[in-house]
């Protein structure tokens, strides 16, 4: 058992975060996701929107929950990482499970306090995301099928993203910013399409190294590519459903569809290598950024 002096813990956690939770990726994603979802929830009803103090509470809460889930994943994947990723921090001892669990407890307290100060509903919604993540850890330990079958694992684990999106939308409803209706479900479906396009893109390849957890292993490269493209198309379709009645300028974020279209063509034409992941990441960034900006501008 590794013994770590308490004063060393913050620095060790900091190094873990910088390596396994790269801020320029995860923080940017959390920020843009919340701004796009919150702004679109208002814009879809024709209501003017500006970020507020509550917006930044939601941003901080979502980013912290993503960090909580990343720390949880590090522990869930320990046996797999010992074989296939021996340089991971938990495997090498650069961080310990006890340190990660302590940090997770702190995160749980911080997000609960932040949201309870605004409403009990918001606090319960954010806690539901944390609770589901912990449930998944137990389920994966008990069920080899859930742990090892990539598509089944996605079906079981993706709802934590839905819960996080539901927290953002639900806290808006609780605050009286928007009224709950079908557009909330459509917005969550839009975000699902954006996220799942990237999720499939990063795990779609013509080749698969030993031990790789790839959707293209289960579906085959071509079908995995079509599913990847299909999620992007679905995201664009929900944008049309939500914003077309407000005029063509509201559909400018749909132009980001050029990226997955190009990515699909490039992947299928190459016949080797992986999906161009930076292009898929660009689709996420441009779509969410355009939705957030469009919600602010009087189009």
């Amino acid at each position: 058992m590794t013994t770590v002096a308490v004063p060393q813990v913050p620095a060790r956690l900091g190094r873990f975060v910088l390596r396994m939770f790269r801020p320029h990726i995860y923080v940017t994603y959390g920020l843009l996701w919340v701004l796009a979802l919150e702004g679109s929830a208002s814009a879809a009803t024709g209501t003017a929107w500006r970020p507020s103090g509550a917006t930044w509470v939601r941003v901080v809460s979502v980013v912290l929950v993503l960090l909580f889930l990343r720390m949880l994943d590090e522990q869930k994947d320990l046996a797999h990482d010992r074989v296939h990723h021996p340089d991971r921090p938990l495997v090498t001892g650069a961080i310990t499970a006890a340190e990660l669990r302590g940090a997770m407890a702190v995160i749980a307290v911080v997000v609960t306090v932040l949201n309870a100060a605004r409403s009990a509903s918001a606090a319960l919604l954010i806690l539901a995301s944390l609770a589901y993540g912990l449930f998944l850890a137990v389920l994966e330990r008990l069920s080899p099928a859930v742990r090892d079958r990539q598509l089944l694992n996605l079906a079981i684990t993706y709802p934590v993203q839905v819960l996080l999106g539901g927290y953002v939308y639900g806290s808006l409803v609780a605050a009286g910013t928007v009224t709950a209706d079908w557009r909330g479900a459509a917005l969550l479906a839009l975000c699902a399409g954006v996220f799942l396009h990237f999720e499939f893109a990063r795990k779609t390849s013509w080749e698969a190294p030993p031990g790789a957890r790839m959707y293209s292993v289960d579906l085959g490269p071509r079908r995995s590519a079509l599913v990847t493209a299909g999620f992007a198309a679905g995201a664009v379709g929900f944008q049309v459903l939500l914003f077309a009645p407000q005029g063509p300028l509201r559909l400018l974020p749909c132009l980001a569809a050029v990226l997955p279209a190009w990515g699909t063509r490039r992947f299928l034409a190459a016949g080797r290598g992986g999906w161009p992941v930076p292009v898929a990441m660009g689709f996420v960034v441009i779509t969410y950024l355009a939705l957030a900006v469009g919600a602010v501008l009087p189009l």
Side-chain angles (χ1 to χ4, degrees), residues 139-159:
L139 182 62
E140 289 188 28
R141 187 167 63 248
L142 296 176
S143 173
V146 171
R147 184 175 61 248
D148 300 329
R149 292 171 57 184
Q150 193 69 13
L151 292 172
L152 177 61
N153 183 268
L154 177 65
I156 299 296
T157 59
Y158 179 70

Side-chain angles (χ1 to χ4, degrees), residues 149-240:
R149 292 171 57 184
Q150 193 69 13
L151 292 172
L152 177 61
N153 183 268
L154 177 65
I156 299 296
T157 59
Y158 179 70
V160 75
Q161 291 276 335
V162 177
L163 287 171
L164 265 180
Y167 152 72
V168 175
Y169 186 78
S171 62
L172 289 170
V173 173
T177 305
V178 299
T179 301
D181 59 18
W182 65 270
R183 283 170 288 208
L187 280 169
L188 294 180
L190 189 165
C191 292
V194 172
F195 173 83
L196 290 171
H197 169 72
F198 176 74
E199 169 67 12
F200 266 76
R202 72 189 186 93
K203 295 182 180 179
T204 293
S205 177
W206 288 99
E207 306 87 21
R213 295 174 172 177
M214 310 284 286
Y215 299 115
S216 49
V217 171
D218 294 336
L219 296 174
R222 292 184 182 278
R223 278 188 292 180
S224 189
L226 292 177
V227 171
T228 303
F231 281 123
V236 172
F238 279 108
Q239 290 178 62
V240 173

